[in-house]
């Protein structure tokens, strides 16, 4: 999987990870992948809802220790 952009939102709480992801996606081309690193446990459901609302595809979510990794494909 080729990640086109990665943002680090570790230490930030809702809604900041979503807002930063939205801003990053706005600069990307259709089909490109954005990786978001987060520590907010609520980000799992937040990114699921964000993907449904915006039409961007949530390709992958992982929990690694106390960190959450979200991969979104720009619509």
């Amino acid at each position: 999987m080729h990640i086109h952009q990665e943002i680090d939102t570790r230490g930030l709480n809702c809604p900041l990870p979503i807002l930063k992801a939205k801003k990053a996606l706005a600069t990307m081309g259709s089909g490109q992948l954005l990786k978001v690193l987060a520590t907010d446990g609520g980000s799992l459901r937040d990114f699921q809802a964000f993907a449904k609302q915006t039409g961007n595809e949530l390709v992958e979510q992982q929990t690694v220790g106390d960190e959450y990794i979200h991969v979104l494909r720009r619509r």
Side-chain angles (χ1 to χ4, degrees):
M1 183 175 348
H2 177 69
I3 302 297
H4 296 89
Q5 190 172 343
E6 181 174 316
I7 58 173
D8 185 351
T9 66
R10 291 178 288 195
L12 301 177
N13 292 319
C14 181
L16 290 174
I18 293 290
L19 294 174
K20 289 187 175 285
K22 185 176 180 179
K23 187 176 181 179
L25 285 166
T27 69
M28 298 171 67
S30 182
Q32 290 188 320
L33 295 176
L34 172 67
K35 181 177 182 179
V36 183
L37 305 174
T39 51
D40 180 7
S43 68
L44 289 170
R45 67 177 178 279
D46 291 344
F47 275 97
Q48 291 167 6
F50 174 75
K52 284 181 185 172
Q53 290 172 354
T54 62
N56 295 299
E57 179 187 356
L58 184 59
V59 177
E60 184 178 299
Q61 284 187 307
Q62 289 182 357
T63 303
V64 180
D66 61 351
E67 294 186 356
Y68 306 94
I69 301 167
H70 313 279
V71 179
L72 294 154
R73 183 182 314 277
R74 171 82 160 91
R75 61 175 161 82

